[in-house]
Amino acid sequence: MSLNSNKLPDKNKNFFSDNHKWKVLFTGAFANTCFTFVIGGVPAASIILRNDYHIPTSVLGLLMGIVGFGIAVSELPWGIATDRFGDRPILITGLSTTAIALFTLAYFAKISSHTSISIILCAGLLVVGLFGSSVNGSSGKAIIQWFKPQQRGLAMSVRQAAVPLGYALGALFYPYISIHYGFSTTLFISAFICILAALFSYLWIIDPDSKNERKTPDITQSLKNKSTQPMKSLKVWRIVLAVGILCAPQFALMTFSMLFLHDFAGLSIGYISILLFFIQISSIPTRIGSGFYTDKKGNRKFFLKAVTALSFILFAALTVFTYFSYKFNIHHFAYFVSFIILISGISISSWHGIGYTELATVAGQKSVATVLAMANTVVFFILFATPAIIPWLLHQFSWVGVWAVMAVICAISYFLFENSSSEK
């Protein structure tokens, strides 16, 4: 079968049974895990980068967000290309070029001097973001195509659960491997698993044939009723913006919790690494469980509002306790603050599969990859902007100001979800 063959040939219909959808789901989830391993790993190794390469905090913030900028500027072109050419060639191309970029970056990171490492890391991670963004919309469209409407919330939540899994593995292994074997070694490992994901994509990502029975009457009717121009839909844009900005508190936690809990709370790197790992691992059952629950109850809008409200309360609590720790110099709040970080991280990471399913439902199947790319464009601009802005907020308003801004963002997302839904 050629690289550009995305349709299911008639002679292979019996071979690719309905159970093949689980291979598609596994491949999409694995591709996301491979890519987020890098996104989550670099921030987790921030203190090692700062100490080993003498990188200042302001530059460190840029390094932690530059992958997001690369993803943001390339996400929409990748999504449109996926709707045009299919999932399989886009995944294979994107994952392979990401692996090449990581191999190249690892080589130059190993031989470069301290004076040039910041520029090399910024340029290399930018390229990784430009190519790696291909996994987002493409794997999502494949899953939407293979699963029935009443299964999509669960399937997309499983796929989105791969994101915290990648973050968790990155948070655990990037610091460990970097300390013992060097930062470049982690990049080599990241490149290898991207090659493995590209191989699975070649073997298993195949779009259902247009005449296949999977295109059920409700999907066909959906294609007739849904707009094929999602960029003109106000309802789509509200969900896109809600999904995008709600990622800011999550990125703030995952990129700066290491510095916050180490510098402010005085906790050890080992303790914080385990905490971040546990946040991401705990997000996996919450995402899968939320998908199963909302598929059964048909209440995605209620779930999204409830999680956003809970996240607002938790970030407000984090703001208050951080303030009192500053005001009264109460150091024994450290472990309590880390507990709030833990619960906040689980809450703010639990909604993604539901948010993306809601967005895909509102837009219609023909535009799935495009609207997912729209959302991810906003998401990864936020990923770039959040670690770049936080050092300024920290300088002007201390950690109290940082967490207060995140609470306000949760409140804004709540009202955006309030006015956006596919439900009647």
Side-chain angles (χ1 to χ4, degrees):
M1 184 176 294
S2 66
L3 180 66
N4 292 318
S5 177
N6 299 293
K7 300 299 182 182
L8 184 61
D10 291 342
K11 64 181 180 180
N12 288 330
K13 281 185 179 179
N14 293 331
F15 180 77
F16 291 103
S17 66
D18 189 62
N19 290 331
H20 186 78
K21 65 187 178 184
W22 300 111
K23 296 179 181 179
V24 174
L25 178 57
F26 168 80
T27 303
F30 184 65
N32 275 269
T33 301
C34 294
F35 187 46
T36 53
F37 180 69
V38 179
I39 301 175
V42 173
S46 58
I47 293 178
I48 296 141
L49 288 172
R50 184 179 67 180
N51 295 341
D52 289 354
Y53 296 111
H54 310 293
I55 299 174
T57 301
S58 58
V59 177
L60 203 60
L62 179 62
L63 282 178
M64 289 190 283
I66 197 68
V67 175
F69 180 78
I71 297 170
V73 299
S74 61
E75 183 72 39
L76 191 55
W78 280 119
I80 294 173
T82 300
D83 280 334
R84 173 65 179 84
F85 300 108
D87 303 85
R88 189 165 178 254
I90 300 303
L91 274 175
I92 294 171
T93 301
L95 287 165
S96 299
T97 50
T98 300
I100 293 171
L102 285 166
F103 275 127
T104 305
L105 178 59
Y107 172 75
F108 283 105
K110 190 175 183 66
I111 66 172
S112 300
S113 64
H114 290 177
T115 55
S116 62
I117 191 64
S118 294
I119 296 174
I120 290 171
L121 287 175
C122 279
L125 291 173
L126 174 63
V127 173
V128 168
L130 290 170
F131 292 134
S133 62
S134 60
V135 308
N136 297 320
S138 52
S139 59
K141 183 177 181 179
I143 291 167
I144 289 292
Q145 287 181 317
W146 275 89
F147 283 82
K148 297 177 181 179
Q150 62 269 29
Q151 298 174 321
R152 289 176 187 163
L154 175 61
M156 286 293 284
S157 294
V158 170
R159 180 245 192 187
Q160 288 303 120
V163 175
L165 176 61
Y167 271 102
L169 295 174
L172 185 66
F173 287 107
Y174 256 69
Y176 177 83
I177 297 172
S178 297
I179 289 173
H180 292 89
Y181 304 102
F183 181 70
S184 61
T185 303
T186 61
L187 297 175
F188 278 120
I189 294 172
S190 300
F192 175 77
I193 61 175
C194 284
I195 289 291
L196 189 60
L199 176 62
F200 285 135
S201 299
Y202 175 78
L203 294 174
W204 290 338
I205 295 293
I206 298 173
D207 294 348
D209 187 84
S210 59
K211 297 180 181 179
N212 197 303
E213 64 274 11
R214 288 186 185 86
K215 191 157 285 189
T216 55
D218 62 295
I219 299 177
T220 303
Q221 188 64 35
S222 173
L223 295 182
K224 293 179 180 178
N225 295 337
K226 299 293 184 180
S227 170
T228 58
Q229 296 179 315
M231 293 185 189
K232 296 182 179 180
S233 170
L234 181 60
K235 185 176 288 189
V236 166
W237 274 111
R238 283 174 176 165
I239 302 177
V240 165
L241 292 175
V243 166
I245 67 172
L246 191 56
C247 288
Q250 179 189 1
F251 293 151
L253 280 180
M254 301 318 300
T255 55
F256 276 88
S257 287
M258 178 67 77
L259 294 178
F260 171 66
L261 293 174
H262 182 267
D263 296 348
F264 170 79
L267 300 175
S268 69
I269 294 176
Y271 175 87
I272 302 167
S273 294
I274 293 172
L275 180 71
L276 294 176
F277 175 80
F278 191 77
I279 288 174
Q280 298 294 0
I281 287 296
S282 299
S283 299
I284 295 172
T286 59
R287 290 191 183 193
I288 296 174
S290 65
F292 177 80
Y293 172 75
T294 55
D295 276 348
K296 185 176 181 180
K297 299 294 184 179
N299 60 347
R300 287 191 298 268
K301 179 180 177 180
F302 172 80
F303 178 85
L304 290 168
K305 290 170 58 183
V307 169
T308 309
L310 175 60
S311 298
F312 166 78
I313 293 170
L314 290 168
F315 276 98
L318 183 59
T319 303
V320 170
F321 280 101
T322 304
Y323 170 78
F324 280 108
S325 294
Y326 271 123
K327 187 174 180 63
F328 299 108
N329 196 27
I330 305 177
H331 296 292
H332 61 262
F333 272 177
Y335 285 99
F336 187 73
V337 167
S338 71
F339 175 75
I340 299 178
I341 289 280
L342 172 65
I343 303 301
S344 300
I346 295 172
S347 173
I348 203 66
S349 301
S350 65
W351 57 270
H352 293 71
I354 309 307
Y356 283 114
T357 305
E358 180 78 352
L359 179 57
T361 302
V362 168
Q365 191 185 14
K366 278 188 175 179
S367 302
V368 168
T370 299
V371 294
L372 293 182
M374 289 166 62
N376 284 323
T377 297
V378 179
V379 165
F380 287 103
F381 267 123
I382 295 295
L383 175 59
F384 169 71
T386 300
I389 292 173
I390 284 180
W392 179 84
L393 287 174
L394 184 58
H395 177 73
Q396 296 292 328
F397 306 107
S398 78
W399 287 109
V400 176
V402 171
W403 303 130
V405 169
M406 299 306 140
V408 171
I409 289 172
C410 291
I412 295 172
S413 296
Y414 177 91
F415 289 106
L416 287 171
F417 281 130
E418 171 69 22
N419 295 308
S420 306
S421 178
S422 63
E423 297 168 9
K424 302 294 184 185

